[in-house]
Amino acid sequence: MLNLPSIAVLRSFEAAARFESFTGAATELRIHQAAVSRQVRELEGIIGTPLFRKEGRGIALTAAGKRLALEVKDHLQSLNRTIETAKAAGQSGRVLAIAALPTLSARWLAPRISAFKQAHPDVALLVYSRSEPFDLVRQGIDLAFHFGGPDWVEGDVEPLCPESLLLVASPVLAERSNIQSIADCIKMPKLHLMTRKHLWPSFLEELGKFSPDAWRGTQFDQFAPLISAAVAGVGAAIVPSYLIESELAQGVLVPLAAPTSNDGAYYTVTPKGTTNPDAETFRAWVQQEAEVSSKRRRHFESGKPAR
């Protein structure tokens, strides 16, 4: 007969390990500190070794405790995903777990999900945000979006679309800057993404107009506030076109140029060697949506004021 600890015991240990404090764990779990201490002792009895040691007035994980804490955290997260998946699937039993880059998910994927749901009402979707590659199987993800190159360990990668960049600004800023040609964009105040500050210098090099001023301007660590600043007229920004479809359609941003430099392309990834009909259906649908976005981008680009 297996001598397994209860979920309550594992949750108490995981919280105590994270805080390295029985008090912190008790506060988070909304139980008494004595209960956390008792449950940790119960787990130590099952395992047969101490998981914490006294350190000053507090506690610290032992080497065994550190190893176990990592595994318990992963297993609890996996169990939570399993339950959430079952809840989402309902009676149909069909659920698709998707992981996407946070900005891609918020600004491109989420507004389109209703269209997929109308065509496939029996497929429940779980959408997670992920910024870096991860173990698809271990995380229970059926399909992920990836930006960069066509590489993902233990993943089958298929091209989705190239990155299409647009130099954009608010209509007021564009008019105030008297943009008559692409070269006039050089004098505009510049907005930079901290992780991709090379975009402006690369664009000016394309024009043969590189200047030390290319690095100057206001910097943001995420695309979302950068786009908001562009809409507010703070400066001009070089942004992937898929992120600003709504702003372009509303006319609150206007395209000025289409830089050719980029850092990669977009891909969809599924667990290597697996077959999931719903994932393939979603992948095909996403590909169609990406093609529509490409056509829309070309339409906006054709109307850009800078020539």
Side-chain angles (χ1 to χ4, degrees):
M1 182 177 179
L2 294 176
N3 184 22
L4 295 176
S6 67
I7 295 296
V9 166
L10 294 177
R11 289 184 66 211
S12 287
F13 168 69
E14 189 279 330
R18 188 159 26 88
F19 288 104
E20 287 198 308
S21 165
F22 291 161
T23 301
T27 300
E28 179 177 271
L29 298 174
R30 297 183 180 181
I31 59 178
H32 293 298
Q33 179 181 340
V36 173
S37 178
R38 183 178 64 253
Q39 289 170 337
V40 168
R41 287 198 304 273
E42 180 181 335
L43 184 59
E44 289 176 329
I46 293 172
I47 294 174
T49 189
L51 301 174
F52 293 92
R53 68 174 186 276
K54 290 185 177 181
E55 190 170 272
R57 293 188 174 183
I59 58 172
L61 285 163
T62 63
K66 290 179 180 179
R67 288 194 299 270
L68 183 62
L70 291 174
E71 293 295 328
V72 167
K73 181 179 180 180
D74 283 347
H75 287 304
L76 286 176
Q77 289 177 341
S78 177
L79 180 59
N80 183 65
R81 285 193 298 270
T82 298
I83 298 301
E84 290 301 318
T85 298
K87 288 164 61 178
Q91 292 187 358
S92 73
R94 297 171 63 188
V95 62
L96 192 64
I98 301 162
L101 301 162
T103 311
L104 172 70
S105 178
R107 299 189 67 90
W108 188 86
L109 180 60
R112 290 167 165 78
I113 284 179
S114 61
F116 179 83
K117 289 294 295 177
Q118 288 177 3
H120 307 280
D122 292 336
V123 180
L125 298 179
L126 296 176
V127 183
Y128 299 92
S129 293
R130 295 286 189 278
S131 298
E132 301 292 339
F134 56 92
D135 188 321
L136 291 164
V137 174
R138 188 169 185 176
Q139 295 291 318
I141 299 298
D142 301 305
L143 182 143
F145 291 83
H146 172 55
F147 175 74
D151 53 342
W152 189 298
V153 176
E154 295 301 316
D156 288 327
V157 181
E158 285 194 11
L160 180 61
C161 62
E163 180 179 60
S164 299
L165 297 172
L166 285 178
L167 169 60
V168 296
S170 71
V172 173
L173 178 61
E175 182 177 358
R176 189 168 68 236
S177 301
N178 191 26
I179 302 299
Q180 300 298 320
S181 68
I182 295 179
D184 292 333
C185 298
I186 298 171
K187 61 189 178 184
M188 302 183 77
K190 299 169 183 62
L191 306 180
H192 299 275
L193 187 70
M194 292 179 183
T195 55
R196 303 181 69 177
K197 285 182 63 177
H198 64 281
L199 288 179
W200 268 103
S202 295
F203 170 57
L204 297 185
E205 284 181 357
E206 287 179 26
L207 302 180
K209 303 286 186 179
F210 180 75
S211 163
D213 289 343
W215 299 96
R216 296 176 182 170
T218 306
Q219 301 179 36
F220 297 86
D221 67 347
Q222 297 288 333
F223 269 125
L226 182 148
I227 293 168
S228 295
V231 171
V234 177
I238 298 175
V239 187
S241 58
Y242 78 88
L243 294 182
I244 51 173
E245 289 182 353
S246 176
E247 287 79 5
L248 291 170
Q250 296 170 25
V252 296
L253 287 177
V254 294
L256 304 176
T260 60
S261 61
N262 61 63
D263 294 328
Y266 296 93
Y267 301 86
T268 54
V269 191
T270 53
K272 198 171 190 65
T274 64
T275 300
N276 184 327
D278 288 333
E280 292 307 314
T281 297
F282 187 84
R283 177 179 254 169
W285 172 78
V286 165
Q287 185 67 57
Q288 292 177 348
E289 292 296 317
E291 292 171 1
V292 171
S293 285
S294 294
K295 292 179 181 178
R296 187 176 292 119
R297 184 258 188 181
R298 288 193 293 270
H299 168 73
F300 288 127
E301 183 184 346
S302 66
K304 64 179 181 289
R307 298 289 185 231

